[in-house]
């Protein structure tokens, strides 16, 4: 795309340039659209809160070593066992004398790891299956959709459970198990979008030029499906975090001494009736992060797909 | 010379001598309709380009009817075989609306007025309200009935139905009026009939909301109502669901449903706009007969100027929330306001040879 | 004027219904097959050699071979799958390594507890959730609306097992308002004869009101928890559906008829909203069953979920897979049932 000489940003403000009704280049148009979506999103205060928390999560995970006041793995069984929350230990200590706050901070890495990995695994699978099914039509579409529907009907947690039970506990297995049951909704969404898009004239034009179906699907159709899939992935994040925590609670996720949040709760369960704080804080952390993703996802959906009923 | 001209020359005629094609002729032969004398025109003041001055409206209303049955009746109008006759003694107006305003909150926090000071009076006659989408005609109808959306604000200097002050009535009183004394027929039966209830049950529901009849009596009356709108097998249709009948039948069922409690005023909001042209005329004929038989007042809201002019006695032309012209349908050709003239101009006439076809050139001052 | 209604011959209608029925059955079959294939695959993928799990690693070679023959592990994979399918069809899920009972017996014993819990939960969830959702939609922007939105948000974000734990701490340990984990106190446990497996019904029928109260006291927190989760979902969906319906033209027409607002809400709008709502309730119930795995662990509720997790801890694959198949089947069944219900309830898509 040739970029014609647009008026320099000095003459008009950046805002005007982005919101201009006559963009001079494709980049200006797409940036402008993104800017418009961002403004709608930013007006939603709860969504901004969600975004802030998610960013905070990322930062905490990255700087865990710096932020955690104590070691998450080593505790003093003699002096610091099962201490209630205090100024020295904000969330108290667990049965092995470890500071719970530090464990939660380090556990954020695992949470982020799981979330990112599941998204990276499940979303592309769903996208590909959905766009191929939508574009190809015919028996391929029917077959792929049958498979999708079958997977859609499976109970996510139970199947992940059985899977991890077979493969053995561990965080990677948990991720695979969750990803395998998470991709169907994305395939459905991608297919629905593809069915609409493929009627468009520009697809016909590209086909006339001689583009192969793969090229059409990959370069033209898939990018347009990405926003809806992103919204859905974000909304699913909370469920994925909860499922992963559930698996960890049952001892099937990250193994000790890794401070995965679900496992922390399982740990605290043994003492919960008297030393409730051991289980309280990790659960609150899970709640906060899931809530953040839910708010973020709601905000994204409203910004990118305004025709929904509030 | 075109082929047609040559052919006509041979036969000794010419295009210009042919009578104008009467497009109001339906494609099915007209049904025999009772002659009735219910129509009493309120004094038509032909050609008043109504400005914002509200004083005009009350002046129009109770004035005694002048002499002429002013309408130069077109030959054999099958939809309205009986154009309004000479005025009888003026009856009390059925509906008085004075300076009606309806506003809604808009995106920027302010309010947008959808209806800006509409005034008219209605007797036992047919009033047509014509306008394009967004002119506020539907909102006017709904405001009269009290069906404006809750975020809307309805104000008026006067809004009276048979002497009852609609503005000061309680919610209960207004609800009793709706369906019982004022009825509304909506546009698309696909959407305005409840999809999970049978047609018969919906009709019975209206009746039982307004009078104390037993289930058996209600059913009998509902069947009679279905017959009155010329539905062939009322028992069968009674049990059907709205999606199982055609558009025309659904609309007739809706008419039956709304008229079963014998209201005195009917507000028809684009009653035929969702129907095929052939079906339109059938439904209109039914509507015409029912309104005439029962002596109801009718407010006919539409975007179709030609349809309204053949169906109604008086026409209100609305633009941007205001009434820009009030004219009797016979005197439509002499309308003064440029918007009305523009609309008339746009109506295609087969005998015309106009290139390019005229379009409406909206002037901002009409919306002031 | 004659308006002829489209007449479908009885034969054509029957064929149409048959086609839909066959299609539906096909979908069910395929889905169940898929589930069984997945569980079969999981069972075979186990790193633990099932033979060694039975005979131990010290057994002589010929014993290992014989057990291998018995288990059919020498046969090709699809034959094994076929045998597997036959077994499942007869309800033979194998033997539990832990209890030495046939897995089916264990499942039959533990199943009613889960159903009882989930059913009470859904009654709370739907019984409160639907009216709340209607109220939230009718008084849009009001207090109930905000509450429903917040509750929904919390319900989607909080881990159910954690909330259960905190609930136990608060209502059992600190306040002592309810009984603790388990289904019934040990002191009552042996005085109740299990007839249906549903303790509420059994104790009530036998007139043992003390035991009944005890059972209720145990049931209330876990059922309330499940009820909350389904309520969060159901009320939100109800609100959404009701808002949709209340914006429809037929509601305006109903008002124009002069009907009372109450009638319009309940007999017109809700009746239409019920169509997708029934599927929502069915799906929510399925979700409660799935979540039972976690809830029962927290409350030591002797149901199918606890059975699965216990078996998990003990590497009892037969039991785990058996339980998975049962829960999975019900889950799938409810999913498909909800699709069917949707088609049946909406008169527009009903097979005529």
């Amino acid at each position: 795309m040739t970029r014609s000489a647009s008026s320099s940003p000095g003459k008009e403000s950046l805002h005007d340039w982005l919101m201009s009704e006559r963009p001079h280049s494709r980049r200006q148009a797409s940036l402008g659209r993104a800017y418009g979506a961002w403004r709608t999103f930013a007006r939603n205060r709860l969504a901004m809160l969600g975004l802030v928390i998610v960013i905070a999560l990322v930062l905490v995970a990255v700087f865990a070593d710096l932020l955690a006041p104590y070691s998450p793995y080593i505790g003093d069984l003699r002096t610091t066992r099962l201490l209630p929350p205090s100024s020295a230990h904000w969330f108290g200590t667990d049965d092995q004398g470890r500071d719970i706050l530090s464990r939660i901070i380090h556990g954020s890495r695992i949470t982020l790891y799981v979330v990112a990995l599941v998204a990276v695994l499940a979303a592309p699978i769903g996208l590909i299956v959905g766009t191929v099914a939508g574009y190809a039509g015919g028996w391929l579409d029917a077959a792929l959709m049958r498979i999708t529907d079958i997977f859609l009907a499976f109970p996510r947690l139970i199947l992940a459970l059985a899977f991890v039970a077979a493969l053995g506990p561990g965080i990677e297995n948990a991720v695979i198990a969750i990803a395998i049951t998470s991709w169907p909704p994305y395939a459905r969404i991608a297919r629905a979008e593809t069915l609409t898009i493929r009627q468009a004239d520009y697809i016909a034009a590209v086909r006339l030029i001689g583009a192969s179906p793969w090229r059409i699907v990959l370069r033209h159709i898939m990018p347009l499906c990405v926003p809806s899939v992103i919204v859905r992935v974000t909304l699913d994040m909370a469920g994925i975090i909860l499922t992963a925590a559930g698996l960890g609670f049952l001892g099937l996720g990250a193994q000790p001494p890794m401070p995965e949040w679900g496992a922390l709760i399982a740990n605290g369960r043994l003492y919960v009736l008297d030393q409730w704080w051991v289980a309280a804080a990790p659960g609150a952390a899970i709640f906060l992060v899931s809530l953040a993703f839910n708010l973020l996802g709601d905000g994204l959906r409203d910004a990118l797909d305004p025709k929904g009923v509030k | 010379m075109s082929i047609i001209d040559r052919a006509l020359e041979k036969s000794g005629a010419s295009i210009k001598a042919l009578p104008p094609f009467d497009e109001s002729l339906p494609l099915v032969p007209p049904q025999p309709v009772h002659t009735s004398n219910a129509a009493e025109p309120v004094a038509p003041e032909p050609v008043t380009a109504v400005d914002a001055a509200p004083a005009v409206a009350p002046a129009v209303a109770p004035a005694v009817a002048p002499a002429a049955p002013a309408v130069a009746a077109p030959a054999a109008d099958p939809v309205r075989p009986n154009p309004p006759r000479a005025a009888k003694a003026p009856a009390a107006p059925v509906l008085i609306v004075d300076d009606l305003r309806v506003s809604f909150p808009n995106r920027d926090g302010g309010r947008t007025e959808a209806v800006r000071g509409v005034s008219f009076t209605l007797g036992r006659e047919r009033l047509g309200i014509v306008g394009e989408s967004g002119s506020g005609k539907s909102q006017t109808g709904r405001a009269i009935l009290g069906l404006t959306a809750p975020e809307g604000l309805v104000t008026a200097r006067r809004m009276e139905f048979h002497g009852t002050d609609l503005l000061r009535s309680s919610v209960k009183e207004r609800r009793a009026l709706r369906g019982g004394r004022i009825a509304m027929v909506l546009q698309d039966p696909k959407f305005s009939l409840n999809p999970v209830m049978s047609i018969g049950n919906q009709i019975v529901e209206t009746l039982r909301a307004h009078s104390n009849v037993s289930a058996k009596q209600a059913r009998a009356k509902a069947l009679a109502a279905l017959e009155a709108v010329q539905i062939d097998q009322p028992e069968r249709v009674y049990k059907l669901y709205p999606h199982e009948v055609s558009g025309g039948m659904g609309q007739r069922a809706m008419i039956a449903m709304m008229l079963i409690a014998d209201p005195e005023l009917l507000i028809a909001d684009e009653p035929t706009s969702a129907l095929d042209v052939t079906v339109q005329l059938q439904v209109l004929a039914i509507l015409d007969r029912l309104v005439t038989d029962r002596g109801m007042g009718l407010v006919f809201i539409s975007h179709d100027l030609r349809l309204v002019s053949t169906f109604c006695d008086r026409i209100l032309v609305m633009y941007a929330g205001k009434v820009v012209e009030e004219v009797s349908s016979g005197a439509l050709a002499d309308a003064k306001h440029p918007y009305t003239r523009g609309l008339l101009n746009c109506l295609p006439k087969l005998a015309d040879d106009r290139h390019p076809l005229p379009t409406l050139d909206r002037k901002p001052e009409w919306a002031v | 004027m004659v308006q002829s209604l489209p007449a479908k011959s009885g034969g054509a209608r029957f064929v149409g219904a048959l086609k839909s029925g066959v299609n539906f059955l096909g979908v069910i079959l395929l889905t169940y097959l898929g589930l069984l294939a997945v569980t079969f695959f999981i069972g075979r993928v186990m790193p633990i050699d099932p033979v060694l799990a039975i005979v131990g690693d010290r057994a002589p070679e010929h014993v290992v071979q014989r057990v291998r023959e018995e288990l059919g592990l020498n046969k090709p994979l699809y034959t094994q799958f076929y045998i597997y399918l036959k077994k499942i069809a007869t309800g033979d899920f194998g033997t539990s390594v832990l209890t030495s009972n046939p897995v089916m017996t264990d499942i039959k014993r533990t199943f009613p507890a889960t159903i009882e819990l989930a059913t009470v939960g859904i009654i709370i969830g739907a019984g409160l959730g639907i009216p709340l959702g209607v109220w939230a939609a009718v008084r849009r922007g009001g207090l109930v609306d905000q509450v429903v939105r917040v509750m929904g948000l919390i319900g989607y974000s909080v881990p159910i097992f954690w909330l259960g734990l905190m609930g136990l701490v608060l209502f059992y340990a600190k306040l002592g308002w309810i009984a603790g984990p388990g289904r019934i106190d040990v002191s009552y446990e042996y005085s109740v004869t299990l007839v249906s497996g549903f303790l509420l019904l059994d104790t009530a029928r036998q007139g043992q009101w003390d035991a009944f109260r005890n059972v209720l006291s145990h049931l209330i927190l876990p059922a309330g928890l499940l009820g909350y989760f389904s309520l969060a979902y159901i009320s939100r969906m109800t609100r959404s559906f009701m808002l949709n319906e209340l914006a429809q033209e037929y509601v305006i027409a109903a008002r124009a008829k002069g009907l009372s607002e109450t009638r319009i809400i309940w007999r017109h709008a809700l009746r239409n909203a019920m169509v997708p709502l029934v599927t929502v309730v069915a799906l929510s119930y399925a979700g409660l069953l799935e979540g039972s795995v976690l809830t029962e662990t927290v409350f030591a509720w002797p149901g199918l979920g606890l059975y699965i997790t216990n078996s998990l801890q003990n590497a009892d694959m037969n039991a785990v897979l058996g339980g998975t198949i049962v829960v999975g089947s019900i889950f799938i069944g409810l999913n498909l049932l909800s699709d069917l219900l949707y088609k049946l309830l909406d008169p527009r898509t009903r097979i005529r």
Side-chain angles (χ1 to χ4, degrees):
Chain A
M1 270 312 195
T2 54
R3 221 186 308 170
S4 62
S6 50
S7 48
S8 63
K11 263 213 264 186
E12 46 178 24
S13 74
L14 187 61
H15 168 93
D16 290 333
W17 180 78
L18 283 169
M19 301 292 279
S20 134
E21 298 261 300
R22 288 160 201 240
H24 293 286
S25 68
R26 194 160 88 168
R27 174 176 300 197
Q28 182 179 3
S30 47
L31 280 180
R33 234 198 348 254
Y35 182 62
W38 163 253
R39 289 193 59 196
T40 318
F41 178 83
R43 263 192 288 241
N44 183 346
R45 286 202 310 235
L46 283 178
M48 288 300 285
L49 178 66
L51 183 62
V52 161
I53 297 179
V54 169
I55 294 181
L57 172 73
V58 173
L59 290 176
V60 164
V62 165
F63 295 113
D65 295 319
L66 297 173
L67 290 169
Y70 301 88
S71 159
Y73 301 114
I74 303 172
D76 193 342
L77 278 169
R78 279 174 304 146
T79 52
T80 52
R81 191 171 178 274
L82 290 175
L83 293 178
S86 62
S87 51
H89 298 273
W90 288 4
F91 292 150
T93 58
D94 68 1
D95 61 313
Q96 304 214 352
R98 299 173 287 202
D99 175 44
I100 293 181
L101 175 64
S102 313
R103 298 207 83 201
I104 292 183
I105 290 178
H106 278 265
S108 66
R109 284 188 171 170
I110 303 177
T111 307
L112 211 57
Y113 182 64
V114 167
V115 156
L117 223 57
V118 170
V120 157
L121 280 179
I125 298 178
L127 252 183
I128 292 181
V129 169
T131 48
V132 165
Y135 189 70
W139 63 268
L140 188 58
D141 182 14
L144 284 175
M145 275 305 115
R146 274 287 153 263
I147 298 178
T148 310
D149 285 339
I150 289 177
F151 270 93
L152 203 54
F154 285 172
R156 180 154 43 176
L157 182 63
I158 303 278
L159 227 52
L161 216 117
F163 211 76
V164 171
L167 291 178
I171 190 122
E172 284 83 12
N173 295 337
V175 164
I176 295 176
I178 299 178
I180 287 184
T181 40
S182 297
W183 65 267
Y186 313 142
R188 270 242 174 118
I189 292 178
R191 176 176 177 270
E193 297 257 336
T194 309
L195 287 178
T196 331
I197 295 173
R198 77 168 182 181
Q199 321 269 13
D201 280 342
Y202 56 85
I203 298 290
V206 174
R207 211 173 341 168
L208 277 173
I209 300 179
S212 74
W214 269 115
R215 191 184 167 86
I216 296 179
V217 165
L218 273 168
R219 289 212 58 203
H220 295 273
I221 297 187
M222 240 193 249
L224 292 169
C225 301
V226 165
S228 329
V229 172
I230 288 185
V231 170
R232 184 59 199 252
V233 166
T234 316
L235 285 173
D236 270 358
M237 278 300 149
I240 292 174
I241 293 177
L242 291 175
T243 310
L247 286 176
F249 179 69
L250 295 173
L252 300 175
Q255 292 301 291
M258 298 197 68
E260 196 258 323
W261 289 345
L264 291 185
I265 300 182
N267 207 16
R269 177 169 163 244
L270 304 168
Y271 309 93
V272 77
L273 294 180
D274 295 309
Q275 286 92 18
W276 53 271
W277 57 86
V278 185
I286 299 176
F287 173 49
L288 198 64
V289 171
S290 298
L291 189 66
F293 274 109
N294 269 327
L295 292 174
L296 186 62
D298 276 345
L300 275 180
R301 183 186 50 203
D302 291 338
L304 292 177
D305 177 32
K307 57 182 166 64
V309 176
K310 280 214 72 128
Chain B
M1 263 227 265
S2 75
I3 300 179
I4 299 182
D5 283 0
R6 242 176 283 159
L8 282 173
E9 226 187 50
K10 270 208 182 148
S11 67
S14 79
I15 288 242
K16 294 190 181 44
L18 288 173
F21 179 78
D22 191 348
E23 284 138 319
S24 63
L25 280 175
L27 300 179
V28 296
Q31 304 298 312
V33 171
H34 308 298
T35 59
S36 74
N37 47 14
E40 290 160 334
V42 179
E45 211 105 81
V47 193
T48 348
V50 173
D51 298 310
V56 181
V60 173
V64 183
V71 273
D77 180 348
V79 177
R80 288 290 311 284
N82 297 295
R85 297 163 163 255
K88 306 245 167 153
V94 171
L95 180 68
I96 302 178
V97 175
D98 189 359
D99 195 33
L100 174 66
R101 289 173 189 271
V102 179
S103 62
F104 293 95
N106 60 23
R107 212 182 281 243
D108 302 317
R111 295 193 82 88
T112 319
E113 277 198 311
V115 180
R116 303 188 291 150
V118 166
S119 311
F120 62 91
T121 320
L122 181 73
R124 285 187 183 281
E125 55 169 330
R126 303 164 189 217
L127 178 71
I129 302 185
V130 175
E132 56 194 50
S133 352
S135 58
K137 53 192 199 302
S138 274
Q139 289 301 330
T140 307
R142 296 200 179 183
I144 296 173
L145 228 59
L147 290 179
T148 316
E151 58 264 18
L153 186 62
V154 177
T155 56
R157 230 174 305 164
R158 268 175 94 192
M159 199 155 70
E160 284 176 17
F161 171 70
H162 270 312
T164 316
D165 189 347
L166 294 175
L167 294 169
R168 273 178 206 73
S169 308
S170 71
V171 170
K172 268 195 128 178
E173 287 165 358
R174 290 204 88 172
R175 192 163 17 106
L177 283 178
R178 287 201 285 263
R181 299 184 68 199
I182 316 181
M184 184 175 218
V185 172
L186 290 147
Q187 182 172 339
D188 195 342
K190 251 200 328 273
F191 300 121
S192 47
L193 291 172
N194 188 341
V196 297
M197 276 176 85
S198 71
I199 291 180
N201 278 338
Q202 294 188 50
I203 302 179
V204 163
E205 197 180 25
T206 319
L207 190 59
R208 298 193 81 177
H210 291 281
S211 52
N212 233 334
V213 291
S214 75
K216 262 184 161 262
Q217 285 175 310
R219 187 192 149 91
K221 280 196 135 186
L223 289 171
L226 285 173
E227 270 180 34
V229 292
Q230 300 190 320
I231 287 181
D232 223 15
Q233 300 166 301
E235 283 92 8
R236 191 170 172 194
V237 174
Y238 190 96
K239 289 196 280 245
L240 290 177
Y241 286 92
H243 66 279
E244 293 174 318
V245 299
S246 66
M249 192 178 277
Q251 193 65 318
R252 281 182 283 159
M254 158 144 290
I255 294 174
M257 181 169 83
M258 293 304 183
L259 295 187
I260 192 173
D262 278 326
E264 293 149 41
L265 171 65
L266 177 65
I267 302 179
D269 192 350
E270 312 247 23
T272 53
S273 305
L275 306 174
D276 301 332
V277 178
T278 53
V279 180
Q280 271 186 19
L281 295 164
Q282 297 168 2
V283 171
L284 281 176
I286 294 174
L287 205 56
D288 170 56
R289 196 178 44 107
L290 286 172
V291 168
T292 318
D293 283 353
R294 299 176 186 215
M296 295 167 62
L298 173 70
V299 176
F300 193 106
I301 302 174
S302 177
H303 57 267
D304 190 341
L305 184 56
R306 188 163 44 214
L307 188 63
V308 171
S309 66
T310 55
F311 201 72
C312 300
D313 308 323
R314 264 196 307 148
I315 301 176
L316 245 51
V317 179
M318 281 187 72
Y319 180 74
K322 289 181 152 245
V323 176
V324 297
E325 184 144 22
E326 183 174 338
V327 69
S328 84
S329 52
L332 191 57
D334 303 324
K336 288 257 166 52
H337 195 277
Y339 178 65
T340 321
R341 290 234 63 91
L343 285 181
L344 285 170
N345 242 349
C346 291
L347 294 176
K349 301 180 185 66
L350 276 183
D352 256 9
D353 187 18
R354 298 183 283 176
H355 292 288
L357 285 174
T359 52
L360 206 52
D361 182 19
R362 293 188 180 84
K363 304 241 173 356
E365 53 260 25
W366 299 343
V368 169
Chain C
M1 260 180 276
V2 176
Q3 284 272 348
S4 61
L5 301 161
K8 259 178 142 181
S9 73
R13 266 186 283 163
F14 180 66
V15 168
L18 202 62
K19 266 177 38 177
S20 312
V22 166
N23 202 13
F24 183 67
L25 277 178
V27 169
I28 298 185
L29 233 61
L30 225 64
T31 318
Y32 276 117
L33 210 65
L35 176 68
L36 291 173
V38 170
T39 47
F40 174 72
F41 173 71
I42 290 177
R44 289 289 168 268
V45 145
M46 281 179 14
I48 313 170
D49 187 350
V51 179
L52 291 179
I54 297 181
V55 303
D57 54 356
R58 296 274 217 87
E61 187 55 36
H62 64 273
V63 176
V64 172
Q65 277 307 326
R66 200 188 61 208
V67 175
R68 196 176 285 275
E69 284 260 350
E70 277 177 17
L71 291 180
L73 290 173
N74 287 337
K75 308 214 180 72
L77 214 58
Y78 52 86
T79 325
Q80 290 188 43
F81 186 50
Y82 179 63
I83 300 176
Y84 180 72
L85 285 180
K86 276 212 301 196
K87 283 188 164 172
I88 302 287
T90 55
D92 177 10
F93 290 143
T95 313
S96 160
V97 167
L98 196 59
T99 65
S100 307
N101 293 333
V103 170
M104 197 46 154
T105 319
D106 289 340
I107 291 180
K108 280 210 209 140
R109 188 191 68 231
T110 53
F111 192 57
T114 306
I115 294 290
E116 188 175 27
L117 189 58
T119 310
V120 176
I122 198 78
I123 291 177
I124 298 177
L128 289 179
I130 295 183
L132 272 178
V134 170
W135 193 345
V138 168
R139 297 243 181 279
R140 188 177 174 179
L143 182 64
V144 178
D145 191 5
Q146 309 281 12
V147 165
V148 162
R149 303 244 296 261
V150 167
M151 278 206 311
L153 215 53
I154 295 180
Y156 287 174
S157 316
V158 73
I160 187 172
F161 51 92
W162 177 75
L163 201 60
L165 275 178
M166 295 294 113
L168 267 180
V169 169
L170 184 61
F171 294 111
Y172 169 60
K174 297 278 190 258
L175 292 175
W177 286 356
I178 53 154
R183 237 179 137 190
I184 189 171
D185 278 352
V186 178
S187 44
Y188 291 106
E189 193 167 349
Y190 297 102
S191 60
V192 177
T193 25
L194 283 177
V195 173
S196 61
F198 299 119
L199 280 181
L200 277 181
L201 294 177
D202 290 339
T203 49
R205 203 175 329 168
Q206 292 161 33
Q208 295 163 309
W209 297 110
D210 277 346
F212 181 82
R213 268 196 300 273
N214 188 258
V215 168
L216 205 59
S217 172
H218 280 275
L219 184 61
I220 191 164
L221 188 58
L225 195 69
L226 291 180
Y228 172 69
F229 275 83
S230 72
L231 187 150
Y233 177 53
I234 292 178
S235 65
R236 238 186 152 188
M237 298 309 277
T238 308
R239 172 187 174 273
S240 170
F241 294 146
M242 281 298 287
L243 282 178
N244 211 9
E245 295 303 322
L246 287 173
Q248 299 289 328
E249 280 280 293
Y250 69 82
V251 168
I252 300 182
R255 292 208 182 103
K257 293 203 299 195
L259 302 178
S260 71
E261 200 64 21
T262 318
R263 192 182 170 92
I264 294 179
I265 294 172
W266 296 99
R267 291 215 66 204
H268 284 254
L270 187 60
R271 209 144 166 218
N272 273 280
M274 266 312 186
V275 176
L277 207 55
V278 170
T279 59
V280 163
V281 172
L283 288 175
S284 182
Y285 192 68
L288 289 188
L289 284 180
E290 191 194 8
S292 69
V293 174
L294 297 168
T295 328
E296 289 178 11
T297 310
V298 169
F299 289 94
W301 192 265
L304 194 49
L306 190 61
Y307 180 67
I308 294 180
T309 33
N310 275 344
S311 316
L312 205 68
Q313 318 283 9
N314 292 289
D316 189 350
M317 278 315 286
N318 280 337
V320 170
L321 288 181
T324 304
I325 292 177
V326 170
V327 176
S329 311
I330 300 181
F331 192 89
I332 292 174
L334 281 171
N335 258 293
L336 296 176
L337 183 72
S338 63
D339 279 345
L340 185 67
L341 274 177
Y342 189 93
K343 292 206 180 73
L344 278 182
L345 285 176
D346 188 354
R348 284 167 283 200
T349 52
R350 209 181 284 164
I351 306 166
R352 292 275 299 176

